[in-house]
Structure formats: structure tokens, C-alpha cells
Amino acid sequence: IQNLGAMDILCTDKTGTLTQNRIVLEKHLDTNGHTDDRVLRYAFLNSHFQSGLKNLMDEAVIHHVQHHDESVDISNFKKVDEIPFDFQRRRMSVVFEESDGRHILICKGAFEELIHQSTSLIINGTEEALTKERISQQQSLVHELNQDGFRVLAVGIKRISNQPSYAVGDEQSLCLVGYIAFLDPPKDSAKPAITLLNQSGVTVKVLTGDNEVVTKKICSEVGLQTHGILLGS
């Protein structure tokens, strides 16, 4: 107790501590930033059929489809294999057999990782080459979403030669189809708690696995001044 009373720096997590830990899927967008139900269908297939531990964003995708959208038809897809998530790749994939017998790999994950594995993207319903100019446009779109407080995952697909099993090496030459964007609002209690800590001479620092732009937005909403951001890289 005496040591706690002498504390002058408090390091805290963000998700579930400063925020409500109630992640909600707010947007499913194509590469132009317009609502696209195909992106939602691909994201749902990936989240629903993976056999690993579903995270909060997977649960948010599944909840959204089950409670808000009845148009997601997955009857033509049969699961073949999956490539589990890991923290180095920051993405995961599920492979399906479509009604015509062809296999399709659906990958979702961190934008920074998925964009590097993509060679094309869907624009206005047409697959186009992913040029440097288009990469820059996509970076701007995701950055704008992050600035508004959205956590963003990218969704990509790949028509793939049928094989009995799949591995990380198959997650390349993807076609970027769009994004799913989530909100995790701050707790009402966070701002007054931080104010009281500051009045008591305690500096609050946030340690999070989330994107730095989203983190800065949440910090501003709970009254935490950002004097610097240090990334793991």
C-alpha cells in the first residue's frame, strides 16, 4: 500500500481498460470506401469458419451478421483448410471450395501486412493491378478511418489451384477486396479517473497492441495528452 501511494507513473492497457471492450463492426467497405456486402460476406466466412480462438473482432463480425444482416449467403462455400493467425504475420486465412469446385483463399488481417501480400485490388467490381499510386490511396483511406477512431482489418482473396492442404506460402499474390472497421468506445469512467490521477501527480502511459493513430484518438477522448508515441518496430 505504501508503494502504491508513492506511485508517480501508471502504465495501463487500452482495450477494456480505457475502452468499453465492446467492439462493434461499424463499416464494411470496398477499396473506394463505399459499403460493400461482398466484403462482409468474405469477412464472415473467415471469422465464422476458423477453428482457432475467435478474438473480439471475429465475434463482432459474427454478431453483426446474425443480428443486422440476413443477406450473407454462405451455402455455396465448403471449408477445405485454414492457415491460423500468428503475431508475426498478423493475419489468418481460411480456404473454401466454391460451388464450381474451385478453391478460394480468404485472408483477413492487419492492413500493413496484407497490403504487402497483395498484387491486385477490386475497384468498381473489376480486378486491377495494385500500383504504388493505388497503395498510397489505400493507405490514405485506412489512415482516415484510424483518425476517426476505427480499428481496421483488410480483407483479401485468392483463387487458388486445388490442393489437399495449404500453408503460409500460399498467402501471397492476394487480391485486396476491402476493409472491415470497428469501434471500441472509451469508458465513461476513464476520463475522470485520469483527471484524478493527474491531480495526484501520477502520469499515465498507455501500452497497447493497437494502431498508433487509433490509440492517439482514444487518448484524446479520455483526456490523455500525447507527448510521444514509441512503436515496437
Side-chain angles (χ1 to χ4, degrees):
I1 293 296
Q2 291 91 333
N3 290 343
L4 186 64
M7 176 175 60
D8 58 2
I9 295 175
L10 173 65
C11 295
T12 175
D13 186 24
K14 178 180 71 64
T15 304
T17 306
L18 298 180
T19 67
Q20 296 178 16
N21 204 17
R22 185 178 54 80
I23 294 179
V24 177
L25 176 64
E26 291 282 345
K27 298 175 184 285
H28 44 280
L29 308 171
D30 63 16
T31 56
N32 287 319
H34 303 142
T35 299
D36 188 334
D37 288 340
R38 289 177 303 175
V39 176
L40 179 62
R41 180 177 62 172
Y42 289 138
F44 177 76
L45 282 162
N46 179 289
S47 293
H48 181 72
F49 284 100
Q50 63 153 308
S51 62
L53 182 65
K54 290 177 172 54
N55 63 30
L56 290 171
M57 287 182 277
D58 289 316
E59 298 290 358
V61 171
I62 294 167
H63 182 272
H64 180 89
V65 169
Q66 291 176 342
H67 292 82
H68 301 290
D69 197 306
E70 299 179 359
S71 65
V72 176
D73 182 9
I74 60 173
S75 60
N76 292 329
F77 293 83
K78 175 186 174 184
K79 181 180 174 181
V80 174
D81 201 0
E82 67 181 284
I83 308 167
F85 177 87
D86 67 55
F87 286 99
Q88 281 70 46
R89 290 164 35 253
R90 294 198 295 158
R91 60 182 185 270
M92 70 87 53
S93 300
V94 183
V95 182
F96 296 91
E97 180 183 298
E98 298 183 279
S99 56
D100 60 4
R102 294 194 305 166
H103 287 187
I104 180 173
L105 180 148
I106 302 173
C107 180
K108 84 172 188 313
F111 168 75
E112 301 85 358
E113 301 296 331
L114 207 135
I115 195 77
H116 292 310
Q117 302 300 322
S118 299
T119 54
S120 62
L121 77 170
I122 300 293
I123 296 182
N124 302 322
T126 305
E127 185 172 350
E128 304 281 354
L130 187 60
T131 61
K132 287 184 178 180
E133 180 182 1
R134 284 175 174 151
I135 289 174
S136 179
Q137 291 169 348
Q138 297 307 302
Q139 288 171 332
S140 297
L141 173 58
V142 171
H143 186 74
E144 288 176 13
L145 289 165
N146 288 160
Q147 284 185 313
D148 288 335
F150 289 101
R151 299 174 68 175
V152 178
L153 293 181
V155 180
I157 62 171
K158 180 182 181 181
R159 309 285 177 185
I160 196 164
S161 299
N162 293 17
Q163 52 197 61
S165 63
Y166 295 85
V168 171
D170 295 306
E171 290 177 326
Q172 55 185 323
S173 302
L174 300 175
C175 176
L176 179 68
V177 294
Y179 308 99
I180 45 177
F182 307 83
L183 279 181
D184 181 16
K187 285 180 178 175
D188 294 337
S189 59
K191 189 169 185 175
I194 288 169
T195 299
L196 285 171
L197 284 162
N198 289 337
Q199 290 172 353
S200 301
V202 179
T203 301
V204 178
K205 298 181 185 292
V206 178
L207 308 180
T208 179
D210 203 356
N211 176 302
E212 70 270 21
V213 183
V214 175
T215 303
K216 191 171 184 178
K217 169 74 171 175
I218 293 294
C219 285
S220 69
E221 291 182 356
V222 298
L224 258 178
Q225 292 189 341
T226 307
H227 301 292
I229 297 177
L230 183 65
L231 303 182
S233 56

